[in-house]
Amino acid sequence: MNETRRDRDAEGRARNARPRDGLGRPLPYGTPGVERQPEGVVRTPPETLTQAQRLLDAGMPFHAHEVFEDAWKSGPEDERELWRGLAQLAVGLTHSARGNTAGGARLLRRGAGALAPFAGSGPYGIEVAALSDWARELAVRVESGPTVDAAAEAPRLRG
């Protein structure tokens, strides 16, 4: 592969074919990496939650965020903020595990805020109140402590 040219998809949009680690950080070309999540996959909400939970449990919140992003972009308008909030929690955990304490804490709080309107309904069995509490508590710890382990801190999405 010519490393001086940008990777492009069939529509000409820039893509990065560099391998990535479990936290989504680019690795040098030729290095084994974690398989990327395909983009633009339309899943049912239960499939989204199952796939994202598997990735979170494996310590790959960056990849879980991509699954949530697909749901956010393809789901019904009235659920977009739910999926966006879940994506923000996953990215917040990603940044926290990478050592970006300010960005991690900010995104964890932003995600918790985005989920707030769904706290009463608990759509798809999502434990919205528990997730929001987890995010806020983790944000405080991230700001005052060492880098977190993404797998050890993985939240439970459903009860």
Side-chain angles (χ1 to χ4, degrees):
M1 171 178 208
N2 181 347
E3 295 175 15
T4 62
R5 295 184 47 184
R6 292 183 78 184
D7 304 317
R8 301 278 175 181
D9 66 12
E11 287 81 39
R13 290 186 302 260
R15 295 286 182 228
N16 189 339
R18 283 180 68 181
R20 302 222 172 226
D21 71 6
L23 293 174
R25 294 175 290 216
L27 299 169
Y29 285 100
T31 304
V34 173
E35 187 173 335
R36 307 266 316 255
Q37 293 300 300
E39 293 182 40
V41 176
V42 177
R43 300 171 184 87
T44 66
E47 289 169 337
T48 295
L49 292 165
T50 298
Q51 178 71 1
Q53 187 69 66
R54 183 186 68 74
L55 292 163
L56 289 166
D57 292 344
M60 299 190 305
F62 175 83
H63 302 278
H65 129 269
E66 291 178 332
V67 171
F68 288 134
E69 193 172 89
D70 283 340
W72 160 21
K73 291 179 178 179
S74 67
E77 184 68 36
D78 63 340
E79 292 182 3
R80 289 202 174 140
E81 197 66 11
L82 169 72
W83 300 113
R84 187 171 74 98
L86 291 169
Q88 288 171 329
L89 293 183
V91 172
L93 180 55
T94 299
H95 282 287
S96 299
R98 289 178 177 176
N100 176 359
T101 57
R106 184 174 42 254
L107 281 161
L108 288 164
R109 288 187 179 105
R110 189 178 300 158
L115 294 178
F118 300 93
S121 62
Y124 308 110
I126 299 170
E127 297 286 338
V128 174
L131 270 175
S132 296
D133 290 345
W134 165 84
R136 288 187 200 95
E137 184 272 328
L138 183 58
V140 170
R141 282 194 294 121
V142 163
E143 288 174 324
S144 62
T147 301
V148 301
D149 178 298
E153 296 293 345
R156 298 302 314 153
L157 300 173
R158 297 184 275 189

